[in-house]
Amino acid sequence: MEKKGYVGIIVLLAAVFAVIFFSVNDSYYRRVLQLQGLEEEAGEACDYHFTMIVDNAESSFWRAAYESGSQAAQENKVLLELKGTGPDTRYDKIDYMNISIASQVDGIIVENNGEEGLAEKIDEAVEAGIPVVTVMSDASYSKRQSFVGVSDYQLGQAYAEQAALYADEDVKDILIVMNRLTDEKSQSQFYSQVYNAVSGKSDGTGQQVNVSIQNLLLIGSFDAEEAIRDIFQRKAGPPDMLICMDEETTECARQALIDYNMAGGVRIIGCYASDNTVDAITKGLIKTTCSIDTKQLGSRSVEALLDYKKEGRVNSYYNVDIHFVDEEEAAMLQRRRHNEKISLE
C-alpha cells in the first residue's frame, strides 16, 4: 500500500506540473498574440509562428525593429516572438536556436555576429525544414535563406565618407570599434575604405593618419563599457576619432566622454539614432550617427520568411537604407519625439 501511495503522489505531481506548464505556455502565447493584436478568435490560430533572436532584446534598436516586424506579422496573421540575451536571462542565442528548432517554429530571424556554433545551428534549423533569415551581419557560408541588412562594403563606404568629413588637421589617430566577428577580408576592406578616404581627401587636405580596428569579440572582451573605458584611459591618450559600429559601444563612448570630461576631445561617429545619441549630437558630444532604418529591417525580415513559406523562394539579399544624422537633423528628431511624447500623455 505504501508503494502504491508513492506512485499515486508521483502521478499527481506530474499531472499538476503538466497543467502548470501548458497553462503558462498558453498564457504566454496568448499574451504575445494580444500584444500584436492577433487574439485567437473562434479557436483559429495564426498561420505561422516566427522567432526573432537578437543579442539584446531590451535595446531601443531591436525594440524598434521588432515593433515594425510585429506590424508586418499582424497584417499577415503571423505570431512573432522576440528573444534575446541580457542580464535577466541565462540563455544565449545558441540556446534560443535550440529551443526554436525543438519547438518547430515556422521561421527564424537571427542577428548574426559570427558567434561560434551559430552557423551550425542555422544549418540545423534549415535541415529541419525551418527557414532562417540573418539580420545586420550575414552568414553567407551557412544555409540561411536570406540576409536583411547593409552589406559590409556599403557600410564601410558610408562610414569612410563621414570620417573624411570630420577629420581635419588635428585628427592623427582614428580607432574603429567593432563588436561582431567579421572575416579578415571584410575587416581589411573596412580599414582600407576609412584610411583611403581620410588620407586621400579630394579637397587636398588629405593627411597621414593612423587608422586601427579593435574588435571586442576577437580580443575576448564581452563588456563593451569596460573596453571603451580602457580606450579612454590609454597611456597615450584616447584616439582623436572613435568610430563605433553598434548602439552599445556608441552609448558607452557617450558616457565615457561625460565621465572623463572629454567633451570635444574625441570626435565620435556612432551607430543608431537612439534618444541618448540624438541628445548627445545636439549638445556637440557626438559628431554624427549612422541611422539604420529599423522599420525596413523588421518588416523585410518577416517579408523574407513569408516569401519563402508561401512561394518557396526568396531573395538572397534584402537591402536596408542607412543615412547619417547631423546636428540639424538631430534637433529636428528631438523636437518630433518630444511632441509625440506630449501627445501620448
Side-chain angles (χ1 to χ4, degrees), residues 62-74:
W62 285 114
R63 295 305 302 181
Y66 175 67
E67 182 179 345
S68 173
S70 293
Q71 184 175 349
Q74 179 181 344

Side-chain angles (χ1 to χ4, degrees), residues 135-149:
V135 289
M136 291 305 293
S137 182
D138 197 10
S140 56
Y141 44 83
S142 71
K143 296 180 180 179
R144 60 91 174 128
Q145 269 68 38
S146 186
F147 165 61
V148 179

Side-chain angles (χ1 to χ4, degrees), residues 163-169 196-207:
L165 181 63
Y166 292 103
D168 58 20
E169 64 277 3
N196 291 336
V198 174
S199 61
K201 294 173 70 171
S202 59
D203 60 3
T205 61
Q207 56 191 313

Side-chain angles (χ1 to χ4, degrees), residues 75-331:
E75 293 169 356
N76 291 277
K77 208 172 181 184
V78 172
L79 167 64
L80 179 66
E81 289 186 85
L82 177 64
K83 301 290 187 182
T85 60
D88 297 328
T89 176
R90 64 181 183 276
Y91 299 120
D92 58 22
K93 286 194 289 188
I94 300 297
D95 293 325
Y96 285 126
M97 286 293 293
N98 285 329
I99 293 170
S100 298
I101 294 170
S103 301
Q104 279 293 295
V105 297
D106 299 299
I108 297 173
I109 300 165
V110 60
E111 178 188 8
N112 171 54
N113 281 331
E115 297 91 338
E116 184 178 357
L118 185 57
E120 288 76 12
K121 286 301 170 184
I122 291 173
D123 292 348
E124 183 180 332
V126 173
E127 290 166 2
I130 304 171
V132 178
V133 169
T134 55
V135 289
M136 291 305 293
S137 182
D138 197 10
S140 56
Y141 44 83
S142 71
K143 296 180 180 179
R144 60 91 174 128
Q145 269 68 38
S146 186
F147 165 61
V148 179
V150 185
S151 72
D152 285 340
Y153 179 80
Q154 180 186 357
L155 202 61
Q157 281 293 99
Y159 270 95
E161 290 174 4
Q162 296 302 308
L165 181 63
Y166 292 103
D168 58 20
E169 64 277 3
D170 295 327
V171 175
K172 306 297 183 185
D173 183 21
I174 297 176
L175 178 61
I176 304 165
V177 181
M178 293 184 170
N179 202 13
R180 63 184 177 89
L181 293 181
T182 58
D183 57 54
E184 188 175 337
K185 181 180 178 181
S186 295
Q187 192 160 298
S188 176
Q189 173 185 277
F190 199 97
Y191 163 84
S192 298
Q193 287 171 307
V194 173
Y195 179 80
N196 291 336
V198 174
S199 61
K201 294 173 70 171
S202 59
D203 60 3
T205 61
Q207 56 191 313
Q208 289 299 312
V209 178
N210 176 48
V211 178
S212 56
I213 295 179
Q214 184 169 323
N215 194 318
L216 303 188
L217 293 185
L218 286 178
I219 64 175
S221 176
F222 297 98
D223 188 336
E225 182 179 359
E226 181 181 350
I228 294 298
R229 287 185 176 278
D230 287 345
I231 289 171
F232 275 77
Q233 292 180 304
R234 296 188 309 186
K235 288 184 178 180
D240 301 311
M241 179 180 288
L242 184 63
I243 299 177
C244 301
M245 301 299 298
D246 66 272
E247 180 189 5
E248 185 179 9
T249 53
T250 302
E251 170 58 24
C252 292
R254 181 196 70 86
Q255 190 60 49
L257 276 178
I258 297 172
D259 293 344
Y260 297 118
N261 195 26
M262 290 186 179
V266 180
R267 304 173 193 206
I268 295 177
I269 298 176
C271 182
Y272 188 57
S274 66
D275 288 344
N276 282 340
T277 301
V278 167
D279 181 63
I281 293 174
T282 61
K283 293 178 179 177
L285 291 173
I286 293 177
K287 289 296 184 182
T288 185
T289 193
C290 180
S291 178
I292 300 170
D293 195 322
T294 53
K295 290 185 178 180
Q296 292 180 357
L297 185 67
S299 61
R300 289 178 183 175
S301 298
V302 172
E303 176 189 336
L305 286 177
L306 284 170
D307 284 348
Y308 185 82
K309 297 298 291 186
K310 293 181 178 181
E311 307 295 335
R313 57 181 174 78
V314 65
N315 294 332
S316 61
Y317 174 46
Y318 289 74
N319 185 59
V320 173
D321 294 336
I322 61 172
H323 77 280
F324 281 81
V325 177
D326 57 15
E327 188 174 352
E328 183 179 351
E329 185 178 352

